[in-house]
Amino acid sequence: MATHLEITESLKTFTDNYSKNERLKIMNRDWDRVVLIKATDIESIHTLTLKDGVLSLNEGASGAPDLTVVSDSETLADVFYGDINPTEPYNNGTLRVMGSEDDITRLDFIILMIWGE
Amino acid sequence: MQLKRVLTLRTVVATSAGLTMASSSFVAAVMVANYVLGDTAWIAILIGGALCFLAAACFSELNGLLPTAAGIRLYFSRAFNEQVALTVSLLYMLVVVVGVVGVESYILSKVLNEAFPAIPSYAWIVVMLMLVTGMNLRGIKIAGVFQDVITYSLIVFLVLIGLFALGKVGFKLDAPFSPGGAVGIINAVAVGVFLFVGFEWVTPLVEEVTQVKQISKGMMIALGILSVVYAIFTVAMTAVVPKEVLIASPAPQLVFARAVLGDFGASLMIIIILATSLKTFNAGIISVSRFMYASAREHVLPAVFSKISMRYFTPWVAIITLFFIGLVASGLTLLTNQYLVLVGLAAAMSSIVYAMVGLAVISLRRRMPEQVRPYLIKGGYLVPILTVFIFTLLAVAVLSADLSALLYMSIAFVATLVYVNTVVPRLKKKYETRKPAARRRPARATKEVEGK
């Protein structure tokens, strides 16, 4: 089981890597979204907010999300650190993402562009 | 927490019905009519619809138990194993895509060639596929509201023209309950299932609705509407135009519209065929290209299919590959004129998947008995057992009546099985060797995790 702090660190690493990628920021200028990340086995909620291509991280929930990512703490930390590919836990039901199909695909594209295969 | 955007029941019904209604559906409707005596096609269609209700109930239970866009991939993986899930998912995509693209493009090219004889049939297919591929590469989707409008307009149009035609010929049911022999009825019902193929493709929307039950309700309403619409329209077609004329045409709905409303009816039907095919192609390419992308991401297909357009965020390699698959499938169909085999193939494959969905319900009730089920089929094991039995029978009926379909199905099955057992392990191994040895997650944290 990962800790809340570890999930926070994984999301910070993810946000930092996103912010270093100028191309990704330009590509997402028109994709303003709120993503809620929630762990199922510990008390841990974070919000990623993408506005005008800039990604920011907050602890807790803030506003109605466009996407909700729900999984156990281990999977969440591993996915946002880029240690595992999100498709496998998604296909075996460990990771749930609620939102429109287009938004889910776009989030996966971003993870792929940051962490590669 | 409530999502900002959620889908309404209206959109769920329109999506389920819309994915089902293709120009090729009317070819299947005429095949159904041809298997039974007189004007009793409605019996086979209503039975086909009622049987799909059984499958829809099974899909609803699985969808509530495992709410995911991954659909049968996850249901079968939990109920059976990963290999079965992968083989069936790949085979289903392959057969349905080739079947639907082949038949749909064949019909479209024949219809447009009739309207504009100077332009060769295949040119229409190329133009249509290029248009849809271009839209997909640019990430242009037919908006939800527009999709709803197309689907509901089509439903209203089919009912109105059907009733008008029945009134025009002073239709009376001659022998309403004498459809003929059992073999004919079974074959008619089996092909009738093709009319409803795709109703379950609405289950991935489970992540976009407020309540899981909305998907079940939407599927059931769509099946009810479609059963009635197809029954009215098919009876009207056979009441106005002789069956042998309809079966000889790749676009019986066009022949019928011309017979009822003259050139105006034909022009109207051409527009409807165009809109329906465009919608079917577009929805097909979106779903299958995303499936290919996701499969490449989990190293089941070559990594090249996960390549993304930097400008439009679309899986361009998968989309372009589908364009070429579409060109080949439709070219071969046009060359061989074997579009009816593809209808049988898609009907058989759907029946196999529906039978397996029934089995998955039974298996998961044993494997995950404690798991909460927002939708539980009443009557214990009766509905899943009936689903398994009936759809197995229908698949056998279709494949034994059409040996070409059986041959193609066997080849596709063996090819998929070989692929899953030889190529997939290699792709996964290749990925493992390329994967960075060190984890990005700090070592201290990892040790703590391992210690727990």
Side-chain angles (χ1 to χ4, degrees):
Chain A
M1 191 187 292
T3 61
H4 172 71
L5 189 65
E6 280 179 294
I7 298 176
T8 309
E9 287 303 318
S10 73
L11 287 165
K12 272 187 189 162
T13 309
F14 178 78
T15 309
D16 291 346
N17 277 276
Y18 174 91
S19 303
K20 282 180 208 157
N21 193 325
E22 288 304 319
R23 197 171 187 183
L24 207 45
K25 284 198 275 187
I26 293 168
M27 285 164 74
N28 284 312
R29 268 188 312 207
D30 60 346
W31 197 65
D32 291 351
R33 293 291 185 276
V34 175
V35 185
L36 185 86
I37 295 118
K38 188 175 184 299
T40 49
D41 52 348
I42 58 166
E43 280 293 318
S44 176
I45 295 178
H46 293 84
T47 305
L48 284 172
T49 307
L50 191 55
K51 191 159 175 58
D52 300 327
V54 177
L55 185 65
S56 58
L57 172 69
N58 295 300
E59 292 205 22
S62 55
D66 298 283
L67 275 167
T68 304
V69 181
V70 182
S71 190
D72 59 82
S73 54
E74 269 298 298
T75 305
L76 286 178
D78 279 345
V79 164
F80 287 101
Y81 265 122
D83 283 332
I84 62 168
N85 175 338
T87 315
E88 281 179 40
Y90 182 76
N91 277 349
N92 69 30
T94 315
L95 176 74
R96 279 199 67 197
V97 190
M98 283 153 282
S100 82
E101 201 185 347
D102 282 352
D103 286 348
I104 296 172
T105 311
R106 174 78 76 112
L107 181 63
D108 186 58
F109 284 165
I110 294 171
I111 293 173
L112 175 65
M113 288 188 66
I114 290 175
W115 298 126
E117 272 184 57
Chain B
M1 184 171 283
Q2 177 81 46
L3 292 171
K4 273 184 198 165
R5 278 176 287 251
V6 286
L7 296 180
T8 60
L9 183 63
R10 186 201 72 201
T11 300
V12 174
V13 174
T15 307
S16 182
L19 287 169
T20 306
M21 293 178 105
S23 299
S24 47
S25 304
F26 303 97
V27 174
V30 170
M31 285 170 78
V32 171
N34 207 41
Y35 274 122
V36 288
L37 295 179
D39 44 30
T40 54
W42 62 276
I43 297 178
I45 290 172
L46 292 185
I47 294 175
L51 296 182
C52 286
F53 266 99
L54 298 177
C58 293
F59 270 108
S60 298
E61 182 166 325
L62 295 176
N63 195 43
L65 180 69
L66 301 164
T68 167
I72 58 168
R73 181 85 170 76
L74 177 58
Y75 310 153
F76 292 171
S77 155
R78 290 282 175 93
F80 312 115
N81 59 48
E82 184 58 21
Q83 201 184 24
V84 171
L86 194 52
T87 307
V88 177
S89 308
L90 288 173
L91 190 62
Y92 191 35
M93 281 288 166
L94 181 70
V95 170
V96 172
V97 166
V98 171
V100 173
V101 168
V103 182
E104 204 70 12
S105 53
Y106 182 85
I107 293 167
L108 195 65
S109 62
K110 291 290 177 188
V111 167
L112 292 174
N113 187 239
E114 197 181 309
F116 309 96
I119 303 170
S121 299
Y122 198 62
W124 286 116
I125 296 176
V126 176
V127 169
M128 197 71 175
L129 283 173
M130 280 174 72
L131 176 70
V132 177
T133 304
M135 280 170 69
N136 270 274
L137 284 173
R138 293 285 303 262
I140 299 169
K141 278 182 85 172
I142 296 175
V145 175
F146 184 59
Q147 187 119 338
D148 289 3
V149 170
I150 293 180
T151 305
Y152 287 119
S153 306
L154 184 61
I155 288 170
V156 170
F157 175 74
L158 293 177
V159 171
L160 288 181
I161 193 172
L163 293 176
F164 176 74
L166 291 173
K168 196 176 170 186
V169 296
F171 178 76
K172 277 184 190 153
L173 283 171
D174 289 332
F177 301 110
S178 306
V183 175
I185 299 169
I186 292 174
N187 278 322
V189 172
V191 175
V193 168
F194 181 84
L195 295 174
F196 305 97
V197 164
F199 75 86
E200 78 283 6
W201 285 25
V202 74
T203 51
L205 297 184
V206 67
E207 285 156 345
E208 300 179 53
V209 293
T210 45
Q211 290 177 324
V212 173
K213 280 188 175 178
Q214 268 189 323
I215 298 285
S216 323
K217 205 187 274 183
M219 272 195 293
M220 303 292 183
I221 294 173
L223 280 174
I225 293 173
L226 289 171
S227 301
V228 174
V229 172
Y230 282 136
I232 292 173
F233 193 76
T234 308
V235 171
M237 276 200 295
T238 54
V240 174
V241 184
K243 281 186 197 174
E244 52 275 15
V245 176
L246 291 172
I247 200 84
S249 169
Q253 66 272 49
L254 183 61
V255 177
F256 166 70
R258 180 169 285 132
V260 177
L261 298 172
D263 285 343
F264 169 71
S267 307
L268 205 58
M269 193 53 90
I270 288 173
I271 293 169
I272 284 175
I273 290 172
L274 261 172
T276 312
S277 293
L278 188 71
K279 175 177 68 65
T280 306
F281 278 140
N282 196 46
I285 289 189
I286 288 173
S287 318
V288 181
S289 63
R290 298 299 186 270
F291 173 81
M292 288 171 76
Y293 166 82
S295 301
R297 288 281 279 138
E298 61 164 335
H299 317 293
V300 162
L301 286 178
V304 69
F305 293 117
S306 65
K307 284 202 179 299
I308 308 154
S309 155
M310 292 298 157
R311 193 160 175 200
Y312 303 113
F313 273 105
T314 48
W316 66 274
V317 177
I319 293 170
I320 288 176
T321 305
L322 281 173
F323 168 73
F324 285 109
I325 291 174
L327 279 186
V328 172
S330 48
L332 286 175
T333 315
L334 211 58
L335 215 60
T336 58
N337 287 319
Q338 287 207 340
Y339 63 101
L340 296 181
V341 176
L342 295 177
V343 174
L345 203 59
M349 189 65 226
S350 304
S351 295
I352 291 169
V353 168
Y354 297 167
M356 289 186 71
V357 164
L359 274 179
V361 170
I362 297 167
S363 166
L364 289 175
R365 281 192 189 173
R366 289 162 187 243
R367 289 183 185 213
M368 302 164 74
E370 304 300 326
Q371 194 84 11
V372 177
R373 286 164 168 78
Y375 182 98
L376 181 68
I377 307 170
K378 288 178 184 156
Y381 284 101
L382 182 66
V383 170
I385 287 173
L386 276 177
T387 307
V388 175
F389 176 73
I390 289 168
F391 283 101
T392 304
L393 183 74
L394 294 181
V396 171
V398 174
L399 293 175
S400 57
D402 188 341
L403 293 180
S404 303
L406 177 63
L407 178 71
Y408 295 145
M409 179 70 88
S410 307
I411 293 171
F413 175 69
V414 171
T416 311
L417 204 61
V418 169
Y419 179 84
V420 168
N421 284 294
T422 57
V423 182
V424 172
R426 280 185 205 169
L427 289 173
K428 295 220 180 235
K429 200 173 167 189
K430 197 172 159 190
Y431 164 69
E432 287 301 325
T433 52
R434 269 195 317 217
K435 211 162 95 171
R439 282 160 62 95
R440 295 184 185 97
R441 198 161 150 191
R444 189 176 56 83
T446 309
K447 273 178 195 164
E448 276 175 15
V449 169
E450 283 166 357
K452 282 192 179 180

Coordinates of all heavy atoms in Angstrom, one line a residue, chain B residues 79-142:
Chain B
A79 N -14.0 -13.9 -16.2 CA -14.8 -15.1 -16.2 C -14.1 -16.3 -16.7 O -14.3 -17.4 -16.1 CB -16.0 -14.9 -17.1
F80 N -13.2 -16.1 -17.7 CA -12.5 -17.3 -18.2 C -11.0 -17.1 -17.9 O -10.5 -17.4 -16.9 CB -12.8 -17.4 -19.7 CG -14.3 -17.4 -20.0 CD1 -14.8 -16.3 -20.8 CD2 -15.2 -18.3 -19.5 CE1 -16.1 -16.2 -21.0 CE2 -16.5 -18.2 -19.8 CZ -17.0 -17.2 -20.5
N81 N -10.3 -16.6 -18.9 CA -8.9 -16.2 -18.7 C -8.5 -15.2 -19.7 O -9.2 -14.8 -20.7 CB -7.9 -17.4 -18.7 CG -8.0 -18.2 -20.0 OD1 -7.9 -17.5 -21.1 ND2 -8.2 -19.5 -20.0
E82 N -7.2 -14.7 -19.6 CA -6.7 -13.6 -20.4 C -6.7 -14.0 -21.9 O -7.0 -13.2 -22.8 CB -5.3 -13.2 -19.9 CG -4.7 -12.0 -20.5 CD -5.5 -10.7 -20.5 OE1 -6.4 -10.6 -19.6 OE2 -5.2 -9.8 -21.3
Q83 N -6.3 -15.2 -22.1 CA -6.1 -15.7 -23.5 C -7.4 -15.8 -24.2 O -7.5 -15.3 -25.4 CB -5.5 -17.1 -23.5 CG -4.8 -17.4 -24.8 CD -4.3 -18.9 -24.7 OE1 -4.7 -19.7 -24.0 NE2 -3.3 -19.1 -25.6
V84 N -8.4 -16.3 -23.5 CA -9.8 -16.4 -24.1 C -10.3 -14.9 -24.4 O -10.8 -14.6 -25.5 CB -10.8 -17.1 -23.2 CG1 -12.2 -17.0 -23.7 CG2 -10.4 -18.6 -23.1
A85 N -10.1 -14.1 -23.4 CA -10.6 -12.7 -23.6 C -10.0 -12.0 -24.8 O -10.6 -11.3 -25.6 CB -10.3 -11.9 -22.3
L86 N -8.7 -12.2 -24.9 CA -7.9 -11.5 -26.0 C -8.3 -12.1 -27.4 O -8.6 -11.4 -28.3 CB -6.4 -11.7 -25.7 CG -5.5 -10.9 -26.5 CD1 -5.8 -9.4 -26.4 CD2 -4.1 -11.1 -26.1
T87 N -8.4 -13.4 -27.4 CA -8.7 -14.1 -28.7 C -10.1 -13.7 -29.2 O -10.3 -13.3 -30.3 CB -8.7 -15.6 -28.5 OG1 -7.5 -16.0 -28.0 CG2 -8.9 -16.3 -29.9
V88 N -11.1 -13.7 -28.3 CA -12.5 -13.4 -28.7 C -12.6 -11.9 -29.0 O -13.2 -11.5 -30.0 CB -13.5 -13.7 -27.6 CG1 -14.9 -13.3 -27.9 CG2 -13.4 -15.2 -27.3
S89 N -11.9 -11.0 -28.3 CA -12.0 -9.6 -28.5 C -11.4 -9.2 -29.9 O -12.0 -8.5 -30.7 CB -11.3 -8.7 -27.5 OG -11.7 -9.1 -26.2
L90 N -10.2 -9.8 -30.2 CA -9.6 -9.6 -31.5 C -10.4 -10.1 -32.6 O -10.6 -9.4 -33.7 CB -8.2 -10.2 -31.5 CG -7.1 -9.5 -30.7 CD1 -5.8 -10.3 -30.7 CD2 -6.8 -8.1 -31.2
L91 N -10.9 -11.3 -32.4 CA -11.8 -12.0 -33.5 C -13.0 -11.2 -33.7 O -13.5 -11.0 -34.9 CB -12.1 -13.4 -33.1 CG -12.7 -14.3 -34.1 CD1 -11.8 -14.5 -35.3 CD2 -13.0 -15.7 -33.5
Y92 N -13.7 -10.7 -32.7 CA -14.9 -10.0 -32.8 C -14.7 -8.7 -33.6 O -15.4 -8.3 -34.5 CB -15.4 -9.7 -31.4 CG -16.8 -9.1 -31.3 CD1 -17.8 -9.5 -32.1 CD2 -17.2 -8.2 -30.3 CE1 -19.1 -9.0 -32.0 CE2 -18.5 -7.7 -30.2 CZ -19.4 -8.1 -31.0 OH -20.7 -7.6 -30.9
M93 N -13.6 -8.0 -33.2 CA -13.3 -6.7 -33.9 C -13.0 -7.0 -35.4 O -13.6 -6.3 -36.3 CB -12.0 -6.1 -33.3 CG -12.3 -5.3 -32.1 SD -13.2 -3.8 -32.4 CE -13.7 -3.4 -30.8
L94 N -12.2 -8.0 -35.7 CA -11.8 -8.4 -37.0 C -13.1 -8.7 -37.9 O -13.3 -8.2 -38.9 CB -10.9 -9.6 -37.0 CG -10.3 -10.0 -38.3 CD1 -9.4 -9.0 -38.9 CD2 -9.6 -11.4 -38.2
V95 N -13.9 -9.6 -37.4 CA -15.0 -10.1 -38.1 C -16.1 -9.0 -38.3 O -16.6 -8.8 -39.4 CB -15.7 -11.4 -37.5 CG1 -17.0 -11.7 -38.1 CG2 -14.7 -12.6 -37.5
V96 N -16.4 -8.3 -37.2 CA -17.4 -7.3 -37.4 C -17.0 -6.2 -38.2 O -17.7 -5.7 -39.1 CB -17.9 -6.9 -36.0 CG1 -18.9 -5.7 -36.1 CG2 -18.6 -8.0 -35.3
V97 N -15.7 -5.8 -38.1 CA -15.2 -4.6 -38.9 C -15.2 -5.0 -40.4 O -15.8 -4.3 -41.2 CB -13.8 -4.2 -38.4 CG1 -13.2 -3.3 -39.4 CG2 -13.9 -3.5 -37.1
V98 N -14.6 -6.2 -40.7 CA -14.5 -6.5 -42.1 C -15.9 -6.8 -42.6 O -16.3 -6.3 -43.7 CB -13.6 -7.8 -42.3 CG1 -13.7 -8.4 -43.7 CG2 -12.2 -7.5 -41.9
G99 N -16.8 -7.4 -41.8 CA -18.2 -7.7 -42.2 C -18.9 -6.4 -42.5 O -19.5 -6.2 -43.6
V100 N -18.9 -5.5 -41.5 CA -19.8 -4.3 -41.6 C -19.2 -3.4 -42.7 O -19.9 -2.9 -43.6 CB -19.9 -3.6 -40.3 CG1 -20.6 -2.3 -40.4 CG2 -20.7 -4.5 -39.3
V101 N -17.9 -3.2 -42.7 CA -17.3 -2.3 -43.7 C -17.5 -2.9 -45.1 O -17.9 -2.2 -46.1 CB -15.7 -2.1 -43.5 CG1 -15.1 -1.4 -44.7 CG2 -15.5 -1.3 -42.2
G102 N -17.3 -4.2 -45.3 CA -17.5 -4.8 -46.6 C -18.9 -4.6 -47.1 O -19.1 -4.2 -48.2
V103 N -19.9 -5.0 -46.3 CA -21.3 -4.9 -46.7 C -21.7 -3.5 -46.9 O -22.3 -3.1 -47.9 CB -22.2 -5.6 -45.7 CG1 -23.7 -5.6 -46.2 CG2 -21.8 -7.0 -45.4
E104 N -21.4 -2.7 -45.9 CA -21.8 -1.3 -46.0 C -21.2 -0.5 -47.2 O -22.0 0.2 -47.9 CB -21.3 -0.6 -44.7 CG -22.1 0.6 -44.3 CD -23.5 0.3 -43.8 OE1 -23.8 -0.8 -43.5 OE2 -24.2 1.3 -43.6
S105 N -20.0 -0.7 -47.5 CA -19.4 0.0 -48.6 C -19.9 -0.6 -50.0 O -20.1 0.1 -50.9 CB -17.8 -0.1 -48.6 OG -17.4 -1.4 -48.5
Y106 N -20.2 -1.9 -50.0 CA -20.7 -2.5 -51.2 C -22.1 -1.9 -51.5 O -22.3 -1.5 -52.6 CB -20.9 -4.0 -50.9 CG -21.4 -4.8 -52.1 CD1 -20.5 -5.2 -53.1 CD2 -22.8 -5.1 -52.3 CE1 -21.0 -5.9 -54.2 CE2 -23.2 -5.8 -53.4 CZ -22.4 -6.2 -54.3 OH -22.8 -6.9 -55.4
I107 N -22.9 -1.8 -50.5 CA -24.3 -1.2 -50.7 C -24.2 0.2 -51.1 O -24.8 0.7 -52.1 CB -25.1 -1.3 -49.4 CG1 -25.4 -2.7 -49.0 CG2 -26.4 -0.5 -49.4 CD1 -25.9 -2.9 -47.6
L108 N -23.3 1.0 -50.4 CA -23.2 2.4 -50.7 C -22.7 2.6 -52.2 O -23.2 3.4 -52.9 CB -22.2 3.0 -49.7 CG -22.1 4.5 -49.7 CD1 -23.5 5.0 -49.1 CD2 -21.0 4.9 -48.7
S109 N -21.7 1.8 -52.6 CA -21.2 2.0 -53.9 C -22.2 1.7 -55.0 O -22.3 2.4 -56.0 CB -19.9 1.2 -54.1 OG -20.2 -0.2 -54.0
K110 N -23.0 0.6 -54.7 CA -24.0 0.2 -55.7 C -25.1 1.3 -55.8 O -25.6 1.7 -56.9 CB -24.7 -1.1 -55.3 CG -23.8 -2.3 -55.4 CD -23.5 -2.6 -56.9 CE -22.5 -3.7 -57.0 NZ -22.1 -4.0 -58.4
V111 N -25.5 1.9 -54.6 CA -26.5 2.9 -54.6 C -26.1 4.1 -55.3 O -26.8 4.7 -56.2 CB -26.9 3.2 -53.1 CG1 -27.7 4.5 -53.1 CG2 -27.6 2.1 -52.5
L112 N -24.8 4.6 -55.0 CA -24.3 5.8 -55.6 C -24.0 5.6 -57.1 O -24.2 6.5 -57.9 CB -23.1 6.3 -54.9 CG -23.4 6.8 -53.4 CD1 -22.1 7.1 -52.7 CD2 -24.3 8.0 -53.5
N113 N -23.6 4.4 -57.4 CA -23.4 4.1 -58.8 C -24.7 4.2 -59.7 O -24.7 4.5 -60.8 CB -22.7 2.7 -59.0 CG -22.3 2.4 -60.4 OD1 -22.7 1.5 -61.0 ND2 -21.4 3.3 -60.9
E114 N -25.8 3.8 -59.0 CA -27.1 3.8 -59.7 C -27.5 5.3 -59.9 O -28.1 5.6 -60.9 CB -28.1 3.1 -58.8 CG -29.4 2.7 -59.6 CD -30.4 2.0 -58.7 OE1 -30.0 1.0 -58.0 OE2 -31.5 2.5 -58.7
A115 N -27.2 6.1 -58.9 CA -27.6 7.5 -58.9 C -26.7 8.3 -59.9 O -27.2 9.2 -60.6 CB -27.5 8.1 -57.6
F116 N -25.4 7.9 -59.9 CA -24.5 8.6 -60.8 C -23.7 7.5 -61.6 O -22.5 7.2 -61.2 CB -23.5 9.5 -60.0 CG -24.1 10.4 -59.0 CD1 -24.3 10.1 -57.7 CD2 -24.6 11.6 -59.5 CE1 -24.9 10.9 -56.8 CE2 -25.3 12.5 -58.6 CZ -25.4 12.1 -57.2
P117 N -24.3 7.0 -62.6 CA -23.7 5.8 -63.3 C -22.3 6.1 -63.9 O -21.5 5.2 -64.2 CB -24.7 5.5 -64.4 CG -25.9 6.3 -64.1 CD -25.5 7.4 -63.2
A118 N -22.0 7.4 -64.2 CA -20.7 7.7 -64.9 C -19.5 7.4 -64.0 O -18.4 7.2 -64.5 CB -20.7 9.1 -65.3
I119 N -19.7 7.4 -62.7 CA -18.6 7.2 -61.7 C -18.6 5.7 -61.3 O -19.6 5.2 -60.8 CB -18.7 8.2 -60.5 CG1 -18.8 9.6 -61.0 CG2 -17.6 8.0 -59.6 CD1 -19.2 10.6 -60.0
P120 N -17.4 5.1 -61.4 CA -17.3 3.7 -61.1 C -17.6 3.4 -59.6 O -17.3 4.3 -58.7 CB -15.9 3.2 -61.4 CG -15.2 4.4 -62.0 CD -16.1 5.6 -61.9
S121 N -18.1 2.2 -59.2 CA -18.5 1.9 -57.8 C -17.4 2.1 -56.9 O -17.5 2.7 -55.8 CB -19.0 0.5 -57.8 OG -20.1 0.3 -58.6
Y122 N -16.2 1.6 -57.3 CA -15.1 1.6 -56.3 C -14.6 3.0 -56.0 O -14.1 3.2 -54.9 CB -13.9 0.7 -56.9 CG -12.9 0.3 -55.8 CD1 -13.3 -0.5 -54.7 CD2 -11.6 0.7 -55.8 CE1 -12.4 -0.8 -53.7 CE2 -10.7 0.4 -54.8 CZ -11.1 -0.4 -53.8 OH -10.3 -0.8 -52.8
A123 N -14.8 3.9 -56.9 CA -14.4 5.3 -56.7 C -15.2 5.8 -55.5 O -14.6 6.6 -54.7 CB -14.6 6.1 -57.9
W124 N -16.5 5.5 -55.4 CA -17.3 6.0 -54.3 C -16.8 5.5 -53.0 O -16.7 6.2 -52.0 CB -18.7 5.5 -54.5 CG -19.5 6.3 -55.5 CD1 -20.0 5.8 -56.7 CD2 -19.8 7.7 -55.5 NE1 -20.6 6.8 -57.4 CE2 -20.5 8.0 -56.7 CE3 -19.5 8.7 -54.7 CZ2 -20.9 9.2 -57.1 CZ3 -20.0 10.0 -55.0 CH2 -20.6 10.2 -56.2
I125 N -16.3 4.2 -53.0 CA -15.8 3.6 -51.7 C -14.6 4.4 -51.3 O -14.4 4.8 -50.1 CB -15.5 2.1 -51.9 CG1 -16.8 1.4 -52.2 CG2 -14.8 1.6 -50.7 CD1 -16.5 -0.1 -52.5
V126 N -13.7 4.6 -52.3 CA -12.4 5.3 -51.9 C -12.7 6.7 -51.4 O -12.2 7.1 -50.3 CB -11.5 5.4 -53.2 CG1 -10.2 6.2 -52.9 CG2 -11.1 4.0 -53.7
V127 N -13.6 7.4 -52.1 CA -14.0 8.8 -51.6 C -14.6 8.7 -50.2 O -14.2 9.5 -49.3 CB -14.9 9.4 -52.6 CG1 -15.5 10.7 -52.0 CG2 -14.2 9.7 -53.9
M128 N -15.5 7.8 -50.0 CA -16.2 7.8 -48.7 C -15.2 7.4 -47.6 O -15.2 8.0 -46.5 CB -17.3 6.7 -48.8 CG -18.3 6.7 -47.7 SD -19.3 8.2 -48.0 CE -20.5 7.9 -46.7
L129 N -14.3 6.4 -47.8 CA -13.4 6.0 -46.8 C -12.3 7.1 -46.6 O -11.9 7.4 -45.4 CB -12.6 4.7 -47.2 CG -13.4 3.4 -47.1 CD1 -12.7 2.2 -47.6 CD2 -13.7 3.1 -45.6
M130 N -12.0 7.8 -47.6 CA -11.0 9.0 -47.4 C -11.7 10.1 -46.6 O -11.0 10.6 -45.7 CB -10.6 9.5 -48.8 CG -9.5 8.7 -49.5 SD -9.1 9.2 -51.1 CE -8.2 10.7 -50.8
L131 N -12.9 10.3 -46.8 CA -13.6 11.4 -46.1 C -13.7 11.0 -44.6 O -13.3 11.8 -43.7 CB -15.1 11.5 -46.7 CG -16.0 12.5 -45.9 CD1 -15.5 13.9 -46.1 CD2 -17.4 12.3 -46.4
V132 N -14.1 9.8 -44.3 CA -14.2 9.3 -42.9 C -12.8 9.3 -42.3 O -12.6 9.7 -41.1 CB -14.9 8.0 -42.8 CG1 -15.0 7.5 -41.4 CG2 -16.3 8.1 -43.4
T133 N -11.8 8.8 -43.0 CA -10.5 8.7 -42.5 C -9.9 10.1 -42.2 O -9.4 10.4 -41.1 CB -9.5 8.0 -43.5 OG1 -10.0 6.7 -43.8 CG2 -8.1 7.9 -42.9
G134 N -10.2 11.1 -43.1 CA -9.8 12.5 -42.9 C -10.4 13.0 -41.6 O -9.8 13.7 -40.8
M135 N -11.7 12.8 -41.5 CA -12.5 13.3 -40.3 C -11.8 12.7 -39.0 O -11.6 13.4 -38.0 CB -13.9 12.8 -40.3 CG -14.8 13.7 -41.2 SD -16.4 12.9 -41.5 CE -17.2 13.1 -39.9
N136 N -11.5 11.4 -39.0 CA -11.0 10.7 -37.9 C -9.6 11.2 -37.6 O -9.2 11.4 -36.4 CB -11.0 9.2 -38.0 CG -12.2 8.6 -37.5 OD1 -12.4 8.3 -36.4 ND2 -13.2 8.5 -38.4
L137 N -8.8 11.4 -38.6 CA -7.4 11.9 -38.4 C -7.4 13.3 -37.8 O -6.6 13.7 -36.9 CB -6.6 12.0 -39.7 CG -6.1 10.6 -40.3 CD1 -5.5 10.8 -41.6 CD2 -5.1 10.0 -39.3
R138 N -8.4 14.1 -38.2 CA -8.5 15.5 -37.6 C -9.2 15.5 -36.3 O -9.4 16.5 -35.6 CB -9.3 16.4 -38.6 CG -8.6 16.7 -39.9 CD -7.5 17.7 -39.7 NE -7.9 18.9 -39.2 CZ -8.3 20.0 -39.8 NH1 -8.2 20.0 -41.1 NH2 -8.6 21.1 -39.2
G139 N -9.7 14.3 -35.9 CA -10.4 14.2 -34.6 C -11.8 14.8 -34.6 O -12.4 15.2 -33.6
I140 N -12.4 14.9 -35.8 CA -13.7 15.5 -35.9 C -14.7 14.3 -35.7 O -14.7 13.3 -36.3 CB -14.0 16.0 -37.4 CG1 -13.0 17.2 -37.6 CG2 -15.4 16.5 -37.5 CD1 -13.0 17.6 -39.1
K141 N -15.6 14.6 -34.7 CA -16.6 13.6 -34.4 C -18.0 14.2 -34.8 O -18.2 15.4 -34.7 CB -16.6 13.3 -32.9 CG -15.6 12.3 -32.5 CD -15.6 11.9 -31.1 CE -16.6 10.9 -30.8 NZ -16.6 10.4 -29.4
I142 N -18.9 13.3 -35.1 CA -20.3 13.7 -35.3 C -20.8 14.0 -33.9 O -20.8 13.2 -33.1 CB -21.1 12.7 -36.0 CG1 -20.6 12.4 -37.4 CG2 -22.6 13.1 -36.1 CD1 -21.2 11.3 -38.2

